[in-house]
Coordinates of all heavy atoms in Angstrom, one line a residue:
Chain A
S15 N 114.2 22.2 20.5 CA 113.2 23.0 19.9 C 111.8 22.4 20.2 O 110.8 23.2 20.2 CB 113.5 23.1 18.4 OG 113.4 21.9 17.8
S16 N 111.7 21.1 20.5 CA 110.3 20.6 20.8 C 109.8 21.2 22.1 O 108.6 21.2 22.3 CB 110.4 19.1 20.8 OG 111.3 18.7 21.8
E18 N 109.8 24.3 22.8 CA 109.1 25.6 22.5 C 107.6 25.4 22.7 O 107.0 26.3 23.4 CB 109.4 26.0 21.1 CG 110.9 26.4 20.9 CD 111.4 26.3 19.5 OE1 110.6 26.0 18.6 OE2 112.6 26.5 19.3
A19 N 107.0 24.4 22.1 CA 105.6 24.2 22.3 C 105.3 23.8 23.7 O 104.3 24.3 24.3 CB 105.1 23.1 21.3
F20 N 106.1 23.0 24.3 CA 105.9 22.6 25.7 C 105.8 23.8 26.6 O 104.9 24.0 27.4 CB 107.0 21.6 26.2 CG 106.9 21.2 27.6 CD1 105.9 20.5 28.1 CD2 107.9 21.7 28.5 CE1 105.8 20.1 29.4 CE2 107.8 21.3 29.8 CZ 106.8 20.5 30.3
R22 N 105.3 27.0 25.9 CA 104.2 28.0 25.7 C 102.9 27.4 26.2 O 102.0 28.1 26.7 CB 104.1 28.5 24.3 CG 103.7 27.5 23.2 CD 103.7 28.1 21.8 NE 103.4 27.1 20.8 CZ 104.2 26.6 20.0 NH1 105.5 27.0 20.0 NH2 103.9 25.7 19.1
V23 N 102.7 26.1 26.1 CA 101.5 25.4 26.7 C 101.5 25.5 28.2 O 100.5 25.8 28.8 CB 101.5 23.9 26.2 CG1 100.5 23.1 27.0 CG2 101.1 23.9 24.7
A26 N 100.7 29.0 29.2 CA 99.2 29.3 29.0 C 98.4 28.6 30.1 O 97.4 29.2 30.5 CB 98.8 28.7 27.6
A27 N 98.8 27.4 30.5 CA 98.1 26.7 31.6 C 98.1 27.5 32.9 O 97.1 27.6 33.6 CB 98.6 25.3 31.7
F28 N 99.3 28.0 33.2 CA 99.5 28.8 34.4 C 98.6 30.1 34.3 O 97.9 30.4 35.3 CB 101.0 29.2 34.6 CG 101.2 30.0 35.8 CD1 101.4 29.4 37.1 CD2 101.3 31.4 35.8 CE1 101.6 30.2 38.2 CE2 101.5 32.2 36.9 CZ 101.7 31.5 38.1
S30 N 96.0 30.6 32.6 CA 94.6 30.4 32.4 C 93.9 30.4 33.8 O 92.7 30.6 33.9 CB 94.3 29.1 31.7 OG 94.6 28.0 32.6
Q31 N 94.6 30.3 34.9 CA 94.1 30.4 36.2 C 93.5 31.8 36.5 O 92.8 32.1 37.4 CB 95.1 30.1 37.3 CG 95.7 28.8 37.2 CD 96.8 28.6 38.2 OE1 96.6 28.2 39.4 NE2 98.0 28.9 37.8
M32 N 94.0 32.8 35.7 CA 93.6 34.2 35.9 C 92.4 34.6 35.0 O 92.1 35.8 34.9 CB 94.8 35.1 35.5 CG 96.0 34.7 36.3 SD 97.5 35.6 35.8 CE 97.0 37.3 36.4
D33 N 91.8 33.6 34.4 CA 90.6 33.8 33.6 C 90.8 34.8 32.5 O 90.1 35.8 32.3 CB 89.4 34.3 34.5 CG 88.1 34.0 33.8 OD1 88.1 33.2 32.9 OD2 87.1 34.7 34.2
P34 N 91.8 34.6 31.7 CA 92.1 35.5 30.5 C 91.1 35.2 29.4 O 90.5 34.2 29.4 CB 93.5 35.2 30.1 CG 93.6 33.7 30.4 CD 92.8 33.5 31.7
L36 N 90.6 34.3 25.4 CA 91.4 33.4 24.5 C 92.4 34.2 23.8 O 93.5 33.7 23.5 CB 90.4 32.7 23.5 CG 89.6 31.6 24.1 CD1 88.7 31.0 23.0 CD2 90.5 30.5 24.6
E37 N 92.1 35.5 23.5 CA 93.0 36.4 22.8 C 94.3 36.6 23.6 O 95.4 36.5 23.2 CB 92.4 37.7 22.5 CG 91.3 37.7 21.5 CD 91.8 37.3 20.1 OE1 92.7 38.0 19.6 OE2 91.3 36.3 19.6
E38 N 94.0 36.9 24.9 CA 95.1 37.2 25.9 C 96.0 35.9 26.0 O 97.2 36.0 26.1 CB 94.6 37.7 27.2 CG 94.0 39.1 27.2 CD 93.1 39.4 28.4 OE1 92.6 38.5 29.1 OE2 92.9 40.6 28.6
L39 N 95.3 34.8 26.1 CA 96.0 33.5 26.2 C 97.0 33.3 25.0 O 98.1 32.9 25.2 CB 95.0 32.4 26.3 CG 95.4 31.2 27.1 CD1 95.8 31.5 28.5 CD2 94.2 30.2 27.1
A40 N 96.4 33.6 23.9 CA 97.2 33.4 22.6 C 98.4 34.4 22.6 O 99.4 34.1 22.1 CB 96.3 33.5 21.4
D41 N 98.2 35.6 23.1 CA 99.2 36.6 23.1 C 100.4 36.1 23.9 O 101.6 36.2 23.5 CB 98.7 37.9 23.8 CG 97.8 38.7 22.9 OD1 97.7 38.4 21.7 OD2 97.1 39.6 23.4
K43 N 101.1 32.9 24.7 CA 101.7 31.8 24.0 C 102.7 32.3 22.9 O 103.8 31.7 22.8 CB 100.7 30.9 23.3 CG 100.0 30.0 24.3 CD 98.8 29.3 23.6 CE 99.2 28.0 22.9 NZ 98.0 27.2 22.5
T44 N 102.3 33.2 22.2 CA 103.2 33.7 21.1 C 104.4 34.3 21.6 O 105.5 34.0 21.2 CB 102.4 34.8 20.2 OG1 101.1 34.2 19.8 CG2 103.2 35.1 19.0
S47 N 106.8 31.7 23.1 CA 107.4 31.0 22.0 C 108.6 31.7 21.5 O 109.7 31.1 21.2 CB 106.3 30.7 21.0 OG 106.8 29.8 20.0
E48 N 108.4 33.0 21.3 CA 109.5 33.8 20.8 C 110.7 33.9 21.7 O 111.9 33.8 21.3 CB 109.0 35.3 20.5 CG 108.0 35.5 19.5 CD 108.4 35.2 18.0 OE1 109.6 35.0 17.8 OE2 107.6 35.2 17.1
T51 N 112.4 30.4 21.8 CA 113.1 30.2 20.5 C 114.4 31.0 20.5 O 115.5 30.6 20.1 CB 112.2 30.7 19.3 OG1 111.1 29.9 19.4 CG2 112.9 30.4 18.0
I54 N 117.1 29.3 22.5 CA 117.6 28.1 21.8 C 118.5 28.5 20.7 O 119.7 28.0 20.6 CB 116.5 27.2 21.3 CG1 115.7 26.6 22.6 CG2 117.0 26.1 20.4 CD1 114.4 25.9 22.2
I55 N 118.1 29.4 19.8 CA 118.8 29.7 18.6 C 120.0 30.6 18.9 O 121.1 30.4 18.4 CB 117.9 30.4 17.6 CG1 116.8 29.4 17.1 CG2 118.7 30.8 16.3 CD1 115.9 30.0 16.1
N60 N 121.8 26.5 19.2 CA 121.4 25.1 19.0 C 122.2 24.1 19.7 O 122.1 22.9 19.4 CB 121.3 24.8 17.5 CG 120.2 25.6 16.8 OD1 119.1 25.6 17.3 ND2 120.5 26.2 15.7
L97 N 113.5 43.4 12.2 CA 114.2 42.9 11.0 C 115.7 42.7 11.2 O 116.4 42.2 10.3 CB 114.0 43.7 9.7 CG 112.5 43.9 9.3 CD1 112.4 44.8 8.1 CD2 111.9 42.5 9.0
M104 N 119.8 31.3 8.4 CA 118.9 30.3 8.9 C 117.5 30.7 8.7 O 116.6 30.2 9.3 CB 119.1 30.2 10.4 CG 120.4 29.4 10.8 SD 120.7 29.4 12.6 CE 119.3 28.5 13.1
E105 N 117.2 31.7 7.8 CA 115.9 32.2 7.5 C 115.2 32.7 8.8 O 114.0 32.5 9.0 CB 115.0 31.1 6.9 CG 115.5 30.7 5.5 CD 114.5 29.9 4.7 OE1 113.5 29.4 5.3 OE2 114.8 29.8 3.5
R106 N 116.0 33.4 9.6 CA 115.4 34.1 10.8 C 114.9 35.4 10.3 O 115.6 36.1 9.6 CB 116.4 34.2 11.9 CG 116.9 32.9 12.4 CD 115.9 31.9 12.8 NE 114.9 32.4 13.7 CZ 113.8 31.8 14.0 NH1 113.5 30.7 13.4 NH2 112.9 32.3 14.8
S107 N 113.7 35.8 10.7 CA 113.1 37.1 10.2 C 113.6 38.3 11.0 O 113.4 39.4 10.5 CB 111.6 37.0 10.3 OG 111.2 36.9 11.6
M109 N 112.2 39.3 13.7 CA 111.0 39.9 14.2 C 110.7 39.4 15.6 O 109.6 39.8 16.2 CB 109.8 39.6 13.3 CG 109.9 40.2 11.9 SD 110.1 42.0 12.1 CE 108.4 42.4 12.7
G110 N 111.5 38.6 16.2 CA 111.2 38.0 17.6 C 110.8 39.1 18.6 O 109.7 39.0 19.2
T112 N 110.1 42.2 18.3 CA 109.0 43.0 17.8 C 107.7 42.4 18.1 O 106.7 43.0 18.5 CB 109.1 43.3 16.3 OG1 110.5 43.8 16.1 CG2 108.1 44.4 15.8
V113 N 107.6 41.0 17.8 CA 106.4 40.3 18.1 C 106.1 40.3 19.6 O 105.0 40.5 20.1 CB 106.5 38.8 17.5 CG1 105.4 38.0 18.0 CG2 106.5 38.9 16.0
S116 N 104.8 43.5 20.7 CA 103.5 43.8 20.1 C 102.4 43.1 20.9 O 101.3 43.6 21.0 CB 103.5 43.3 18.6 OG 102.3 43.2 18.1
F117 N 102.7 41.9 21.4 CA 101.7 41.1 22.1 C 101.7 41.2 23.6 O 100.7 40.8 24.2 CB 101.8 39.6 21.7 CG 101.4 39.4 20.2 CD1 102.3 38.7 19.4 CD2 100.2 39.8 19.7 CE1 101.9 38.5 18.0 CE2 99.8 39.6 18.4 CZ 100.7 38.9 17.6
Chain B
I2 N 104.2 11.8 28.0 CA 103.9 13.1 28.5 C 102.5 13.6 28.0 O 101.8 14.2 28.7 CB 105.0 14.1 28.0 CG1 105.8 14.5 29.3 CG2 104.5 15.3 27.3 CD1 106.9 15.4 29.0
L6 N 99.4 14.9 30.4 CA 98.8 16.2 30.2 C 97.3 16.1 29.9 O 96.5 17.0 30.4 CB 99.5 17.0 29.2 CG 100.9 17.6 29.6 CD1 101.6 18.2 28.4 CD2 100.6 18.7 30.7
Q16 N 88.3 25.7 30.6 CA 89.2 26.6 29.8 C 90.6 25.9 29.6 O 91.2 26.2 28.6 CB 89.4 27.9 30.4 CG 90.0 27.9 31.8 CD 89.7 29.2 32.6 OE1 89.0 30.0 32.1 NE2 90.3 29.3 33.7
W17 N 91.0 25.1 30.5 CA 92.3 24.5 30.3 C 92.4 23.6 29.1 O 93.4 23.4 28.5 CB 92.7 23.6 31.5 CG 93.2 24.4 32.7 CD1 92.8 25.6 33.1 CD2 94.3 24.1 33.5 NE1 93.5 26.1 34.2 CE2 94.4 25.1 34.5 CE3 95.1 23.0 33.6 CZ2 95.4 25.1 35.5 CZ3 96.1 23.0 34.6 CH2 96.2 24.0 35.5
A19 N 91.6 24.1 26.3 CA 92.1 24.8 25.1 C 93.6 24.9 25.1 O 94.1 25.1 24.0 CB 91.5 26.2 25.1
V20 N 94.3 24.6 26.2 CA 95.7 24.9 26.2 C 96.6 23.7 26.4 O 97.8 23.7 26.1 CB 96.1 26.0 27.2 CG1 95.5 27.3 26.8 CG2 95.6 25.6 28.6
V21 N 96.1 22.6 26.9 CA 97.0 21.5 27.3 C 97.1 20.3 26.4 O 97.6 19.3 26.8 CB 96.7 21.1 28.8 CG1 97.7 21.7 29.7 CG2 95.3 21.3 29.2
H22 N 96.6 20.4 25.2 CA 96.8 19.3 24.3 C 98.0 19.5 23.4 O 98.0 20.1 22.4 CB 95.5 19.1 23.4 CG 94.4 18.6 24.2 ND1 94.2 17.3 24.6 CD2 93.3 19.2 24.8 CE1 93.1 17.1 25.3 NE2 92.6 18.3 25.5
L23 N 99.1 18.9 23.9 CA 100.4 19.1 23.2 C 100.4 18.5 21.8 O 101.0 19.0 20.9 CB 101.5 18.5 24.0 CG 102.4 19.4 24.8 CD1 103.5 18.7 25.5 CD2 102.9 20.6 24.0
T26 N 99.9 20.7 18.8 CA 100.9 21.6 18.4 C 101.7 21.1 17.2 O 102.6 21.8 16.7 CB 101.9 21.9 19.6 OG1 102.6 20.7 19.9 CG2 101.2 22.4 20.8
E46 N 100.6 23.9 14.4 CA 101.3 25.1 14.9 C 102.7 25.2 14.1 O 103.4 24.2 14.1 CB 101.5 25.0 16.4 CG 100.2 24.8 17.1 CD 100.3 25.2 18.6 OE1 101.4 25.2 19.2 OE2 99.2 25.4 19.2
L47 N 102.9 26.4 13.6 CA 104.2 26.6 12.9 C 105.1 27.5 13.8 O 104.9 28.7 13.9 CB 103.9 27.3 11.6 CG 105.1 27.8 10.7 CD1 106.1 26.6 10.4 CD2 104.7 28.3 9.4
D48 N 106.1 26.8 14.3 CA 107.1 27.5 15.2 C 108.5 27.2 14.7 O 108.7 26.5 13.6 CB 106.9 27.2 16.7 CG 107.1 25.7 17.0 OD1 107.4 24.9 16.1 OD2 106.9 25.4 18.1
H49 N 109.5 27.5 15.4 CA 110.9 27.2 15.0 C 111.1 25.7 14.9 O 111.8 25.2 14.0 CB 111.9 27.8 16.0 CG 113.2 27.2 16.0 ND1 113.8 26.6 17.1 CD2 114.2 27.2 15.0 CE1 115.0 26.2 16.8 NE2 115.3 26.5 15.6
H50 N 110.5 24.9 15.8 CA 110.7 23.5 15.8 C 110.2 22.9 14.4 O 110.8 21.9 14.0 CB 109.9 22.9 16.9 CG 110.0 21.4 17.0 ND1 111.2 20.8 17.2 CD2 109.1 20.4 16.9 CE1 111.1 19.4 17.3 NE2 109.8 19.2 17.1
F51 N 109.1 23.4 13.9 CA 108.6 22.8 12.7 C 109.0 23.6 11.4 O 108.6 23.3 10.3 CB 107.1 22.7 12.7 CG 106.6 21.6 13.6 CD1 106.1 21.8 14.8 CD2 106.8 20.3 13.1 CE1 105.7 20.7 15.6 CE2 106.4 19.2 13.9 CZ 105.8 19.4 15.1
A52 N 109.8 24.7 11.6 CA 110.2 25.5 10.4 C 110.9 24.7 9.4 O 110.7 24.8 8.2 CB 111.0 26.7 10.9
R56 N 109.9 23.9 5.6 CA 110.8 24.3 4.5 C 111.0 23.1 3.5 O 110.9 23.2 2.3 CB 112.1 24.8 5.1 CG 113.1 25.4 4.2 CD 114.0 26.3 4.9 NE 114.7 25.7 6.0 CZ 114.7 26.2 7.3 NH1 114.0 27.3 7.5 NH2 115.3 25.6 8.2
E60 N 109.8 22.8 -0.3 CA 110.9 22.8 -1.4 C 110.7 21.5 -2.2 O 110.9 21.5 -3.4 CB 112.2 22.9 -0.7 CG 112.6 24.2 -0.1 CD 112.7 25.3 -1.2 OE1 113.1 25.0 -2.3 OE2 112.3 26.5 -0.9
F80 N 98.5 28.3 15.3 CA 99.5 29.2 15.9 C 100.7 29.4 14.9 O 101.0 28.5 14.2 CB 100.0 28.4 17.2 CG 101.2 29.1 17.9 CD1 100.9 30.0 18.9 CD2 102.5 28.9 17.5 CE1 102.0 30.7 19.5 CE2 103.6 29.5 18.1 CZ 103.3 30.4 19.1
M81 N 101.2 30.6 14.9 CA 102.4 30.8 14.2 C 103.2 31.9 14.9 O 102.6 32.9 15.4 CB 102.1 31.3 12.8 CG 103.4 31.4 11.9 SD 103.0 32.1 10.3 CE 103.2 33.8 10.6
D82 N 104.5 31.8 15.0 CA 105.3 32.9 15.6 C 106.2 33.4 14.5 O 106.1 33.0 13.3 CB 106.0 32.5 16.9 CG 107.0 31.4 16.7 OD1 107.4 31.1 15.5 OD2 107.4 30.8 17.6
S83 N 107.2 34.2 14.8 CA 108.0 34.8 13.8 C 108.8 33.8 12.9 O 109.3 34.2 11.9 CB 108.9 35.9 14.4 OG 109.9 35.3 15.1
S84 N 109.0 32.6 13.4 CA 109.7 31.6 12.6 C 109.0 31.3 11.3 O 109.6 31.0 10.3 CB 109.8 30.3 13.4 OG 110.5 30.5 14.6
I86 N 107.5 33.5 9.5 CA 107.9 34.6 8.5 C 109.1 34.2 7.7 O 109.1 34.3 6.5 CB 108.2 35.9 9.3 CG1 106.9 36.4 10.1 CG2 108.6 37.0 8.3 CD1 105.7 36.7 9.3
G87 N 110.1 33.6 8.4 CA 111.3 33.2 7.8 C 111.0 32.1 6.7 O 111.6 32.2 5.6
V88 N 110.1 31.2 7.1 CA 109.8 30.1 6.1 C 109.1 30.7 4.9 O 109.4 30.3 3.7 CB 108.8 29.1 6.8 CG1 108.3 28.1 5.8 CG2 109.5 28.4 8.0
I89 N 108.2 31.7 5.1 CA 107.4 32.2 3.9 C 108.4 33.1 3.0 O 108.4 32.9 1.8 CB 106.3 33.1 4.4 CG1 105.3 32.3 5.3 CG2 105.5 33.7 3.2 CD1 104.4 33.2 6.1
V90 N 109.2 33.9 3.7 CA 110.1 34.8 2.9 C 111.1 34.0 2.1 O 111.4 34.3 1.0 CB 110.8 35.8 3.8 CG1 111.8 36.6 3.1 CG2 109.8 36.8 4.4
G91 N 111.6 32.9 2.7 CA 112.6 32.1 2.1 C 112.0 31.4 0.8 O 112.6 31.4 -0.3
R92 N 110.8 30.9 0.9 CA 110.1 30.3 -0.2 C 109.7 31.3 -1.3 O 109.8 31.1 -2.4 CB 108.8 29.5 0.2 CG 108.9 28.5 1.3 CD 109.8 27.3 1.0 NE 111.2 27.6 0.9 CZ 112.0 27.9 1.9 NH1 111.5 28.0 3.1 NH2 113.3 28.1 1.7
N95 N 112.6 32.0 -3.6 CA 112.8 30.9 -4.6 C 111.7 30.9 -5.6 O 112.0 30.7 -6.8 CB 112.8 29.6 -3.9 CG 114.0 29.4 -3.0 OD1 114.9 30.3 -3.0 ND2 114.0 28.4 -2.1
Q110 N 93.4 36.3 13.4 CA 93.8 37.7 13.6 C 95.2 37.8 14.1 O 96.0 38.7 13.7 CB 92.9 38.3 14.7 CG 91.7 38.9 14.2 CD 90.9 39.7 15.3 OE1 91.4 39.9 16.4 NE2 89.7 40.1 15.0
R111 N 95.6 36.9 15.0 CA 97.0 37.0 15.5 C 98.0 36.7 14.4 O 99.0 37.4 14.3 CB 97.2 36.1 16.7 CG 98.5 36.1 17.3 CD 98.5 35.6 18.7 NE 97.7 36.5 19.6 CZ 96.4 36.5 19.8 NH1 95.7 35.6 19.1 NH2 95.8 37.4 20.5
I112 N 97.8 35.7 13.6 CA 98.7 35.4 12.6 C 98.7 36.5 11.5 O 99.8 36.9 11.1 CB 98.3 34.0 11.9 CG1 98.5 32.9 13.0 CG2 99.2 33.7 10.7 CD1 98.0 31.5 12.5
H114 N 98.2 39.6 12.1 CA 99.0 40.7 12.8 C 100.5 40.5 12.6 O 101.2 41.4 12.3 CB 98.6 40.8 14.2 CG 99.2 42.0 14.9 ND1 99.0 43.3 14.5 CD2 99.9 42.1 16.0 CE1 99.6 44.1 15.3 NE2 100.2 43.4 16.2
I115 N 100.9 39.2 12.8 CA 102.4 38.9 12.7 C 102.8 39.2 11.2 O 103.9 39.7 11.0 CB 102.7 37.5 13.1 CG1 102.5 37.4 14.7 CG2 104.1 37.1 12.8 CD1 102.6 36.0 15.2
I118 N 103.0 43.1 10.9 CA 104.2 43.8 11.5 C 105.5 43.4 10.9 O 106.4 44.2 10.9 CB 104.2 43.7 13.0 CG1 104.3 42.2 13.5 CG2 103.0 44.4 13.7 CD1 104.4 42.1 15.0
S119 N 105.5 42.3 10.2 CA 106.8 41.9 9.6 C 107.0 42.6 8.3 O 108.1 42.5 7.7 CB 106.8 40.3 9.4 OG 105.9 40.0 8.3
G120 N 105.9 43.2 7.7 CA 106.0 43.9 6.5 C 105.9 42.9 5.3 O 105.9 43.3 4.1

Side-chain angles (χ1 to χ4, degrees):
Chain A
S15 63
S16 58
E18 290 155 6
F20 176 67
R22 66 179 179 257
V23 165
F28 181 84
S30 72
Q31 300 175 88
M32 305 172 69
D33 200 20
L36 284 177
E37 292 296 302
E38 289 166 339
L39 207 55
D41 288 345
K43 279 172 89 169
T44 310
S47 192
E48 296 291 354
T51 301
I54 292 172
I55 297 180
N60 293 313
L97 302 175
M104 286 174 62
E105 293 194 347
R106 301 308 307 168
S107 64
M109 291 304 291
T112 309
V113 169
S116 166
F117 290 126
Chain B
I2 249 175
L6 282 171
Q16 61 200 5
W17 280 40
V20 292
V21 262
H22 289 278
L23 262 183
T26 65
E46 306 198 340
L47 175 54
D48 61 3
H49 160 244
H50 180 62
F51 282 108
R56 186 157 54 234
E60 288 296 327
F80 176 91
M81 186 184 92
D82 63 18
S83 70
S84 300
I86 301 295
V88 173
I89 303 165
V90 173
R92 306 296 70 70
N95 293 350
Q110 273 186 9
R111 181 158 292 84
I112 295 175
H114 185 56
I115 292 174
I118 58 176
S119 70

